[in-house]
Amino acid sequence: MTNVLSKITEVIKQDILEAKWNREQLNPVNEIQREIKECQASVKKAKQLTERQELLKREFEKEYTHAKSMAAKRKEHVQLAEEAGEESLAAAALREFNFYSERAERLEKTLSEANSQLENLELQLESHTFQLKDLELKRLEYMAKENAVIGEKQSARMKEATDEDRRYAQIEKHLKENAKKKEELTIDEQIEQLKQ
């Protein structure tokens, strides 16, 4: 018997929780609030990626500047070593010149790609930010509508209560008039009314 009662209690609890969950799901403000949280997470993620890309871009710029500078420096060294007749030094300087020249070319392409990626990330961040602002505005609009509906319901209840108060006042007035009439009637008239 106890087992059956506990099962019934559990089923009732489940039904109550399900009804509450369904009611919350139907509320558009709750749905928008959930979307806002998701959008805030997207904005945060996009912001982090944008900041990280900016750091990478600066690092590529630094490496590119260094490679260009070293290539120019080694080019001068090749000329100086050749003019001085130092073939092995000129060959070593030429190898480094080639290395830094290729590195500078590669870093230039990478830097260009990093700039393009950064622009895309900034556009995504902007898009997510605008979407978040739209959702926040939508939430405020729904809240305003909800407040208006609640206000209308309260006004209707107040009107009903006022109408009921008027009816009670009319009934009370009628009862007082009847009581007053009874007082004004003579004993004979009252007995005549009783006979009827």
Side-chain angles (χ1 to χ4, degrees), residues 53-54 56-65 104-118:
Q53 190 68 19
E54 285 173 350
L56 289 170
K57 182 189 144 196
R58 282 196 293 270
E59 195 63 35
F60 288 138
E61 285 172 344
K62 187 173 121 182
E63 290 294 323
Y64 173 68
T65 304
E105 285 178 30
R106 185 171 153 205
L107 282 165
E108 188 175 18
K109 289 177 187 173
T110 304
L111 185 57
S112 175
E113 288 173 7
N115 278 328
S116 175
Q117 291 165 349
L118 180 60

Side-chain angles (χ1 to χ4, degrees), residues 74 77-78 81 86-99:
R74 291 300 180 240
H77 292 168
V78 169
E86 294 287 334
E87 295 298 316
S88 64
L89 185 58
L94 184 61
R95 281 194 303 273
E96 284 194 25
F97 167 75
N98 290 334
F99 170 77

Side-chain angles (χ1 to χ4, degrees), residues 32 36 127-141:
I32 290 175
I36 286 174
S127 172
H128 288 304
T129 304
F130 289 155
Q131 185 181 5
L132 178 61
K133 288 182 181 188
D134 285 346
L135 286 171
E136 287 171 344
L137 178 62
K138 197 174 183 180
R139 178 179 59 99
L140 293 174
E141 289 170 346

Side-chain angles (χ1 to χ4, degrees), residues 159-176:
K159 187 174 187 274
E160 287 175 13
T162 305
D163 291 346
E164 286 179 18
D165 289 345
R166 282 192 203 127
R167 282 194 297 259
Y168 287 132
Q170 287 174 348
I171 291 170
E172 220 174 285
K173 183 179 176 185
H174 180 71
L175 290 174
K176 284 181 182 177

